[in-house]
Amino acid sequence: DGYGFDGAKAYKDSKLCLMMMSNVLHAKYNKYTGIAFSSIYPGCIAESPLFREKRKWFRKYFPIFMKFITGGFVSEHEAGQRLFQVCHDPRCSKSGVYWSWNGGPRE
């Protein structure tokens, strides 16, 4: 867009592109191959390097805010477990959906 690098915007743009690609792959190949194509939001991984360019106070307090105020905090380990679940759990075999969590996988 002609502006300097913005990590948050880059994350959002890449997430959108991956969701769009998943939808295209689903539309083009799912019917013929039976392969499920979906995208996932495992939760906010507030202690990941994603926020490395933010101010120090933000990196310190954002995980606390996500853990105790919003309840949306997810550890890197738990996010990995959720990704594994989408790949292997029969409840997540539906193609062309966006998986998120609220006590379990849901479309």
Side-chain angles (χ1 to χ4, degrees):
D1 61 10
Y3 297 103
F5 178 78
D6 180 347
K9 183 176 183 331
Y11 171 79
K12 294 172 198 171
D13 289 350
S14 67
K15 184 71 172 176
L16 175 62
C17 289
L18 289 171
M19 292 171 71
M20 293 169 64
M21 178 180 242
S22 175
N23 289 341
V24 168
L25 292 171
H26 163 75
K28 191 169 185 175
Y29 298 112
N30 175 257
K31 183 177 178 181
Y32 303 106
T33 66
I35 297 171
F37 298 93
S38 57
S39 52
I40 176 177
Y41 173 67
C44 182
I45 310 167
E47 293 178 331
S48 76
L50 178 63
F51 303 103
R52 67 188 170 275
E53 294 183 15
K54 295 292 185 186
R55 293 184 176 110
K56 187 175 181 178
W57 68 265
F58 182 88
R59 292 192 315 267
K60 179 178 180 179
Y61 294 110
F62 184 62
I64 295 168
F65 177 78
M66 294 305 294
K67 284 179 190 177
F68 302 109
I69 306 299
T70 70
F73 177 86
V74 175
S75 69
E76 290 182 52
H77 178 76
E78 185 175 357
Q81 288 177 322
R82 290 176 177 185
L83 175 60
F84 181 83
Q85 183 177 10
V86 167
C87 295
H88 296 282
D89 190 328
R91 295 178 296 166
C92 302
S93 62
K94 187 175 180 182
S95 186
V97 298
Y98 177 75
W99 294 105
S100 63
W101 265 256
N102 188 8
R106 66 176 212 212
E107 311 178 35

